[in-house]
Amino acid sequence: AQRVTQPEKLLSVFKGAPVELKCNYSYSGSPELFWYVQYSRQRLQLLLRHISRESIKGFTADLNKGETSFHLKKPFAQEEDSAMYYCAIYNQGGKLIFGQGTELSVKP
Amino acid sequence: NAGVTQTPKFRVLKTGQSMTLLCAQDMNHEYMYWYRQDPGMGLRLIHYSVGEGTTAKGEVPDGYNVSRLKKQNFLLGLESAAPSQTSVYFCASSGDGNSPLHFGNGTRLTVT
């Protein structure tokens, strides 16, 4: 069965510091992986997906099949990055399963 | 376009009462989802639908039923509410499984 694990409930960094939000997955096929973000009082929204291989708001995420990971990274965190971040995996049957979420707090 | 609209926004139920949460989308999306969000548990999939007239179980389907009689609507029912169903419920839709999900604003449900 597909599963997503985000080991950190809370990650606190100072402004300008690098940040890495961890995501590990288990899936027998070729995974489709996503990062979603929920800013305070806003709807959940897509941040990025691995097939796009793009950088959004300075964030990147690389799929590592050997380590079954899809960690989210940003070299210099900003205060406006403070939010809840969810890693998610999709299977071909239509299920999109989310991880437990990591709350990122960027302090001035 | 309104996107994904959930009603109601808030509700308080007593144990054993029933209710239906409505999700409506105006994007002609095929896929629709119901999730619950609990502290420390993240988002858990309750039920989902890959098209009008279809439904499927997610990770935590027990105690919930769903219907997708019309493409634009996805209803989540609680037949006999329990305190364990106190949560924030999110509906989402997508054009297909690979497309980004569009989320509603959530429904905060409290069962006493």
Side-chain angles (χ1 to χ4, degrees):
Chain A
Q2 66 203 82
R3 184 177 297 172
V4 175
T5 303
Q6 294 179 248
E8 303 141 328
K9 286 187 178 180
L10 173 65
L11 185 61
S12 184
V13 301
F14 286 103
K15 176 183 174 181
V19 62
E20 180 180 70
L21 289 83
K22 292 183 168 50
C23 172
N24 290 93
Y25 67 91
S26 62
Y27 185 58
S28 56
S30 290
E32 294 280 350
L33 286 154
F34 306 81
W35 276 99
Y36 281 80
V37 60
Q38 187 177 26
Y39 300 103
S40 179
R41 299 189 182 87
Q42 293 188 27
R43 303 182 186 214
L44 271 144
Q45 57 188 286
L46 178 70
L47 181 62
L48 53 79
R49 51 194 302 189
H50 89 274
I51 60 171
S52 302
R53 301 188 65 81
E54 57 193 345
S55 174
I56 304 293
K57 299 184 179 183
F59 284 98
T60 59
D62 291 319
L63 177 61
N64 185 323
K65 291 186 177 182
E67 295 182 358
T68 60
S69 68
F70 187 56
H71 302 330
L72 184 68
K73 300 176 184 179
K74 185 169 182 177
F76 307 103
Q78 303 299 314
E79 289 180 67
E80 55 266 29
D81 296 328
S82 296
M84 279 293 294
Y85 290 82
Y86 292 95
C87 183
I89 187 169
Y90 168 74
N91 79 2
Q92 295 303 317
K95 270 187 188 179
L96 186 67
I97 302 296
F98 286 81
Q100 302 93 324
T102 297
E103 181 181 354
L104 175 64
S105 174
V106 182
K107 300 182 177 181
Chain B
N1 283 352
V4 178
T5 304
Q6 291 182 233
T7 53
K9 293 183 180 179
F10 303 94
R11 186 72 186 267
V12 178
L13 289 179
K14 293 185 178 179
T15 298
Q17 287 184 317
S18 64
M19 78 162 293
T20 300
L21 282 69
L22 172 64
C23 177
Q25 52 93 6
D26 59 3
M27 297 170 284
N28 200 36
H29 283 170
E30 290 290 339
Y31 288 55
M32 295 188 75
Y33 303 81
W34 274 108
Y35 291 90
R36 59 178 290 175
Q37 184 182 44
D38 303 288
M41 306 291 285
L43 284 159
R44 291 182 291 171
L45 181 63
I46 305 171
H47 286 281
Y48 64 105
S49 168
V50 298
E52 180 180 315
T54 75
T55 62
K57 292 181 180 180
E59 302 171 275
V60 288
D62 294 341
Y64 305 95
N65 56 75
V66 288
S67 64
R68 184 96 182 270
L69 298 179
K70 293 183 179 180
K71 188 177 184 179
Q72 64 266 34
N73 296 335
F74 195 31
L75 279 61
L76 178 71
L78 286 73
E79 292 182 348
S80 180
S84 61
Q85 293 177 305
T86 293
S87 186
V88 180
Y89 292 85
F90 286 98
C91 176
S93 71
S94 69
D96 58 55
N98 282 325
S99 298
L101 262 60
H102 295 255
F103 280 87
N105 274 329
T107 296
R108 186 174 295 275
L109 175 67
T110 302
V111 183
T112 61

